[in-house]
Amino acid sequence: MGGIDWGLLIACVGGASFAGIAVYHAVAGYLYVRYYVRRRTTAESWKLQPERYLTPELHRLAIWSGTRNMTLSGLLSGVLVYVIASGSLDTPIYTDVAGWGGWAYTLGSTVVLFLLTDYIAYLVHRTLHTRFLFRHLHRFHHRFVATTPYVTFALHPVELLILQAATLAPMLVIPFHAVSIVGVLLYIVVFNIEGHSGVKRVSALPWQPPSQFHDDHHAHFHVNYGQHLMIWDRVHRTLRRHGRRYGPEVFGGRGERDTGGADAGRELESFISY
Ligand SMILES: [Zn+2]
Ligand SMILES: [Zn+2]
């Protein structure tokens, strides 16, 4: 065991922080300028909640806390990459495809990594919607009822740490290729930003729900906990349903019977189709 390799440490921490901040601002900035700046006057045609806008204070808060969180997350990931790269932490992460059963294992395990991190994200998010954690941590993110791309990482810093630990945990246990890990993390960041865009967008990827799915989570609070797949919400019956009422005080993920709403009387209890 030698001392700290400062050159490598600075490269890992600087690289991870820069990459996180750059991807966040590039994707969020692109969507923000394309819609909120250039098409501001025709918001009815593209905006999911055309009657609602963030106040200038909330808009600044989203950008500030999002940038702070990407920095924090980059610092921690950078240190993790450093301890792995310098050999101080043994992980099953590999870089040689041939060594681990070849391409079949590498491609199959990439799908497993995606499914596993997505299900973990669902469970953690759903847990954050229990009364205590919601009031003390997750409510910060739900101050933004009408989202913009910058809202994606506007989270309480403790929530960010929980999400990051939960996302990285499988990578320390199951063998995944380093490129699969980077790819899945990039996917999570980019599609989370699209999901928070507040813009009516449908993905070309058949498994990826339209942006309306997570927008409804912000509009109705305790429902639609999934990240990139709707299957977990279907299985656990936390997907938004017709004839149910949701709101900031309706905890539990399944809403409550709505007898007076616009949906009353129509195929009660069936899932909303996105
Ligand atoms: Zn939430
Ligand atoms: Zn959100």
Side-chain angles (χ1 to χ4, degrees):
M1 279 287 300
I4 294 172
D5 181 345
W6 288 101
L8 182 62
L9 178 60
I10 291 168
C12 292
V13 168
S17 308
F18 176 78
I21 295 168
V23 172
Y24 168 55
H25 278 280
V27 180
Y30 163 75
L31 288 170
Y32 192 81
V33 170
R34 180 169 170 187
Y35 293 96
Y36 293 84
V37 176
R38 296 228 174 116
R39 301 184 199 183
R40 188 160 198 103
T41 52
T42 56
E44 289 74 26
S45 66
W46 58 263
K47 201 172 181 310
L48 284 165
Q49 298 181 48
E51 71 291 352
R52 275 203 190 105
Y53 282 90
L54 295 182
T55 61
E57 291 74 29
L58 275 179
H59 178 57
R60 279 196 296 274
L61 178 68
I63 296 177
W64 181 84
S65 64
T67 307
R68 177 204 58 197
N69 285 342
M70 288 313 266
T71 311
L72 184 63
S73 159
L75 291 174
L76 293 170
S77 310
V79 170
L80 186 64
V81 171
Y82 170 78
V83 293
I84 294 170
S86 63
S88 316
L89 177 69
D90 239 351
T91 69
I93 298 169
Y94 64 96
T95 50
D96 176 18
V97 174
W100 262 99
W103 285 102
Y105 178 83
T106 298
L107 294 176
S109 64
T110 306
V111 175
V112 169
L113 177 62
F114 176 72
L115 293 173
L116 201 56
T117 51
D118 202 64
Y119 188 47
I120 291 172
Y122 168 84
L123 293 174
V124 171
H125 187 195
R126 190 174 163 183
T127 308
L128 285 163
H129 274 268
T130 50
R131 277 173 203 271
F132 180 84
L133 291 175
F134 187 77
R135 294 226 167 100
H136 292 92
L137 291 180
H138 194 49
R139 187 159 61 177
F140 183 90
H141 184 64
H142 279 274
R143 292 171 72 172
F144 308 92
V145 176
T147 61
T148 71
Y150 290 108
V151 168
T152 314
F153 300 104
L155 306 164
H156 190 291
V158 174
E159 179 184 336
L160 176 91
L161 298 180
I162 293 171
L163 285 171
Q164 185 163 6
T167 306
L168 296 180
M171 304 168 188
L172 304 177
V173 184
I174 303 169
F176 295 111
H177 195 285
V179 175
S180 305
I181 292 176
V182 172
V184 169
L185 290 178
L186 193 62
Y187 184 103
I188 291 173
V189 170
V190 171
F191 282 91
N192 258 320
I193 297 174
E194 182 166 60
H196 283 90
S197 63
V199 177
K200 291 174 195 162
R201 285 176 69 87
V202 179
S203 176
L205 304 172
W207 60 85
Q208 182 66 40
S211 50
Q212 173 95 55
F213 170 69
H214 192 70
D215 198 77
D216 274 2
H217 175 68
H218 280 262
H220 299 280
F221 292 77
H222 310 288
V223 68
N224 294 5
Y225 299 130
Q227 187 172 233
H228 304 302
L229 297 171
M230 291 192 286
I231 176 97
W232 319 123
D233 279 297
R234 278 182 196 280
V235 169
H236 294 290
R237 299 191 65 74
T238 53
L239 190 65
R240 204 178 138 222
R241 283 180 283 166
H242 292 289
R244 309 287 293 178
R245 203 179 67 79
Y246 303 89
E249 293 307 321
V250 186
F251 285 86
R254 293 182 182 138
E256 54 188 26
R257 198 92 183 248
D258 184 8
T259 45
D263 267 338
R266 74 173 284 198
E267 1 153 31
L268 207 65
E269 312 283 293
S270 63
F271 290 133
I272 300 264
S273 48
Y274 285 99

